[in-house]
């Protein structure tokens, strides 16, 4: 079976993922760096509106980048049913400033029928420091993915 | 000592927190419902740009609302030093649709010198269902809060 | 339908749960304080063999008490299928010494068909301080509970 | 400065860590496989008293093995001050049966002055399957390590 969703994301490698079906994903405005079923990489540029009171990338936006990339990695698995996120655990290590480039890399750890687990790493490509790491579980639902 | 930050947030009760020093907090556009040192409540309206590919409130935006409200609750503690978030663990239970009203309530669990811990609950006020719950740890830094 | 497992645990209120089908649960040697489908409470006495190098209750034993009590709370739900634990997130706040009495209280947060979520609180009854809090997700399996 | 604690653990490579200053660590009875400041590996044999009601390795014992190994990895860092565990997040994937051999591998992710973060992986060496993964944060205290 052809994996249309994987092909769609692959067609955006090197470009902003403007074909994203996720309105908030479009707000994050990530560029596709690499994508396969085991792992994807997206790059984001820190904008002023993404910052916290200290002028650093907001922890909520970091968690959003992680959650959105895990969502893309789930989508390219080519499954019929939707698996909503049931848990997201993030450890934060370092910050990022406006205009810094942030790389999010996901990794498929377990692909079960009921539960799918991903790791994610977030790196600041300007400072080469680790911004955050995360683990997330998704659980099967009866909802069919409509695209 | 007067707690200026607490007074600032209290002055916005019933109104959008337009005085937020957090650019991303302004994007989330929460209304202050209640605030003291032990707990704060903010209401958010789900906008289209906050949604995932299925048209539901994006998990990253849910985590952002939580992280931002915990940040506000930390700020109103009136401490001198900044405590960055070091961990955020979220369990997701139910969704929210465009135009739904979402209530985030934080609760101070531990106020230590090194570590501060908060719980958070997110409720959909249209469906009365629990959207998510979270636990977050903040750790002391040498940075002074500049406002 | 009669809930045999609930009745079994209730028959041990005020006594060590020597009828536990869990060999490691027996090693923990908890006393049943209260039990219903929404919440259970167990008391444990800290023994020397439960301590870490500093002579305090070992973090692993704290997580074990939590996991075992959540397991009992799951069992008294009276479900047919086994739901293995898929995630356990613990925040630690304070310690306990040898001979201290520790109370673990679980709370059923979500009873879904696929996912069940519990909170747990651990208190030191000698110091009245909170030792830890936890959130745990269990996910449905095809295995029938054999008792 | 000589790192006495690292040397002690290294002297037990290939043997049960009978020199552990952790009473509960002795109960777990792990064998030291490898040890340096960045990572340690311990092997454990599943005993009947470590099992849950279904006869599988108890989730609490899995978390205990993880927490104890992270404690050893912390100890071999050679620091003066004790860093108690403040959070432990575990995802469970597969089980282990009595007499199975379980390998726990820790990895130092961040060595900060205030916070130290470790990852851990738990593998069943009989089935070659991943049993669990974990992330844990430790936070500095004023307590000096007394050995």
């Amino acid at each position: 079976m052809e994996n249309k969703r994987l092909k769609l994301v692959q067609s955006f490698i090197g470009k902003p993922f403007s074909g994203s079906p996720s309105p908030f994903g479009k707000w994050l405005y990530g560029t596709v760096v690499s994508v396969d079923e085991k792992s994807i990489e997206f790059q984001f540029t820190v904008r002023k509106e993404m910052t916290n009171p200290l002028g650093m990338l907001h922890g909520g936006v970091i968690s959003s980048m992680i959650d959105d990339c895990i969502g893309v990695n789930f989508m390219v698995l080519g499954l019929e049913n939707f698996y909503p996120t049931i848990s997201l655990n993030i450890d934060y290590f370092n910050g990022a400033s406006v205009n810094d480039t942030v790389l999010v890399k996901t990794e498929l750890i377990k692909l079960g029928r009921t539960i799918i687990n991903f790791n994610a790493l977030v790196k600041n490509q300007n400072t080469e420091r680790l911004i955050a790491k995360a683990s997330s579980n998704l659980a099967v639902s009866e909802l069919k993915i409509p695209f």
Side-chain angles (χ1 to χ4, degrees), chain A residues 14-35:
Chain A
K15 292 181 282 190
F17 186 26
S18 57
S20 169
S22 165
F24 184 60
K26 282 183 179 164
W27 185 87
L28 292 170
Y29 201 69
T31 292
V32 184
V33 174
S34 72
V35 53

Side-chain angles (χ1 to χ4, degrees), chain A residues 74 79-84 86 113-114 138-146:
Chain A
F74 163 71
L79 301 175
E80 257 183 63
N81 286 56
F82 185 57
Y83 284 61
I86 59 149
R113 246 174 316 169
T114 309
L138 289 63
V140 69
S141 74
E142 287 171 1
L143 194 60
K144 303 291 170 192
I145 302 173

Side-chain angles (χ1 to χ4, degrees), chain A residues 8-125:
Chain A
L8 173 71
V9 185
Q10 282 174 335
S11 75
F12 283 93
I13 287 177
K15 292 181 282 190
F17 186 26
S18 57
S20 169
S22 165
F24 184 60
K26 282 183 179 164
W27 185 87
L28 292 170
Y29 201 69
T31 292
V32 184
V33 174
S34 72
V35 53
D36 62 43
E37 292 173 355
K38 293 278 176 53
S39 174
I40 69 153
E41 291 176 304
F42 268 65
Q43 257 176 352
F44 300 88
T45 302
V46 180
R47 304 192 305 269
K48 174 81 174 160
E49 63 182 330
M50 293 176 170
T51 57
N52 67 16
L54 299 184
M56 305 298 288
L57 179 56
H58 194 292
V61 180
I62 297 169
S63 65
S64 294
M65 290 168 174
I66 293 168
D67 189 60
D68 200 65
C69 289
I70 287 173
V72 174
N73 199 338
F74 163 71
M75 286 299 179
V76 303
L77 294 175
L79 301 175
E80 257 183 63
N81 286 56
F82 185 57
Y83 284 61
T85 303
I86 59 149
S87 71
L88 176 60
N89 299 333
I90 305 166
D91 295 302
Y92 295 96
F93 302 117
N94 292 289
S97 305
V98 171
N99 291 325
D100 280 359
T101 302
V102 164
L103 183 80
V104 179
K105 184 185 172 78
T106 63
E107 186 189 0
L108 177 65
I109 301 296
K110 176 176 176 154
L111 178 52
R113 246 174 316 169
T114 309
I115 299 293
I116 300 175
N117 180 275
F118 289 98
N119 275 348
L121 286 177
V122 185
K123 280 193 184 155
N124 186 328
Q125 297 199 292

